[in-house]
Amino acid sequence: QGFVCLSPEASKLTFVQFDRLGTMSVDNWRLTGAVTFYNAKVLLSNCRFSNNHCEDALNTIRCQVQMENCRVENTQSDGFDADFCSVYVSNSTFINTGNDCIDFSGSTAKIEGCSILNSGDKGISGGEDSDLVLKNCTINGAKIAVASKDKSQVTVYSIKIEKAEIAYAAYRKKAEYGPAFLEVRSENQNNAQTLHLLEKGSELEYKGKTYFGKEIFNIDEMYAEFSK
C-alpha cells in the first residue's frame, strides 16, 4: 500500500528506490501517491520512483521539497504531483508517464536542469495559481511541453523541446480560477508541431512577442481521454 509519511519532522532520503508500489487505502480514505509526504520538509537525493500501480508515483502535499538527481519512470498517471508546496527540482529525469511528468497545484517551484521523456500528456504543468520558473530543461515527447492553467504564471528560460505536439499552452480548467499566463524568455530548441494553445483571456509572451487566446475551450472534451 505504498509509502506514506505524515510526520511534521524533516525527512531526508538518499539513494532510496521505490518500485512497484500501490497506494494507501483504508476504509473510505484513499491516497493517490505510491510515495506520499504531507506537511513536512522533504529532501530527496539520488532516489528512484518506478513502476507504480496507482495514480501518482510521488505526491507531496503542503511540503517544502528539494529534489535532486532523482529519477521517476514508468508511472500509471503523473510522475511528480505537488499540491500547495514550495519546490526546487534539479538535475532529475522523468520518463514514460501515463499523464503529466511534473504537475503542480497551488505551488511555487523552480525546476532546473531536468529531462523529460515520453510524457503521456504534459511535460511540466502548473495549475491553481502556481508560480513556476523553468531553467535549462529538456522535453522530448509530450502532447503539451509546458502548460500554465488556472491563474498560474510560468516563466521559461533556455528550454529545449525536441518533440511535442504543442510547445506552450495557457488556459482555465477550473471555473473558480482565472486565465493563465506563460512567458518564454529564451529557448535552445523548439521542434514542436504547434507553438501555442491559448484560451480566451490567457496569454503567452514568447521572446518579446505577446499572443492572446481567442476562443473558450471545451475542457471536458480536452480531458476526455484521461477520464476513461
Side-chain angles (χ1 to χ4, degrees), residues 26 36 51 60 62 100 112 118 153-154 167 186 200 206 216:
V26 179
T36 304
N51 306 307
T60 59
R62 301 191 184 281
D100 302 338
E112 191 167 15
N118 294 334
Q153 178 163 322
V154 179
S186 58
K200 187 175 182 179
Y206 180 72
I216 296 176

Side-chain angles (χ1 to χ4, degrees), residues 8-165:
E9 301 295 329
S11 296
K12 182 178 181 180
L13 289 80
T14 305
F15 292 99
V16 182
Q17 180 168 316
F18 300 94
D19 192 19
R20 297 186 296 275
L21 297 182
T23 193
M24 179 66 69
S25 180
V26 179
D27 296 326
N28 293 324
W29 185 55
R30 183 178 178 86
L31 301 180
T32 62
V35 178
T36 304
F37 290 94
Y38 175 76
N39 197 32
K41 291 184 177 180
V42 184
L43 173 61
L44 304 170
S45 176
N46 295 283
C47 294
R48 178 174 289 188
F49 306 83
S50 308
N51 306 307
N52 65 296
H53 45 91
C54 58
E55 187 172 338
D56 307 320
L58 171 64
N59 185 206
T60 59
I61 304 122
R62 301 191 184 281
C63 292
Q64 296 180 38
V65 184
Q66 184 173 337
M67 182 178 186
E68 56 187 24
N69 299 314
C70 291
R71 185 181 180 95
V72 179
E73 59 188 354
N74 303 327
T75 70
Q76 188 177 94
S77 186
D78 292 344
F80 176 26
D81 191 335
D83 302 312
F84 311 106
C85 295
S86 174
V87 183
Y88 177 62
V89 186
S90 64
N91 302 313
S92 295
T93 304
F94 301 81
I95 303 174
N96 297 332
T97 59
N99 198 4
D100 302 338
C101 276
I102 307 175
D103 185 28
F104 295 103
S105 297
S107 298
T108 300
K110 183 176 180 181
I111 306 165
E112 191 167 15
C114 292
S115 296
I116 290 168
L117 179 64
N118 294 334
S119 172
D121 188 17
K122 296 175 287 294
I124 301 173
S125 175
E128 299 177 2
D129 200 16
S130 290
D131 190 342
L132 310 184
V133 177
L134 319 180
K135 290 189 174 183
N136 299 307
C137 292
T138 298
I139 298 174
N140 186 354
K143 291 190 174 180
I144 298 172
V146 180
S148 179
K149 312 187 304 288
D150 298 328
K151 206 180 175 182
S152 294
Q153 178 163 322
V154 179
T155 306
V156 179
Y157 298 86
S158 303
I159 196 169
K160 183 178 182 181
I161 301 174
E162 296 183 352
K163 183 181 179 182
E165 293 181 17

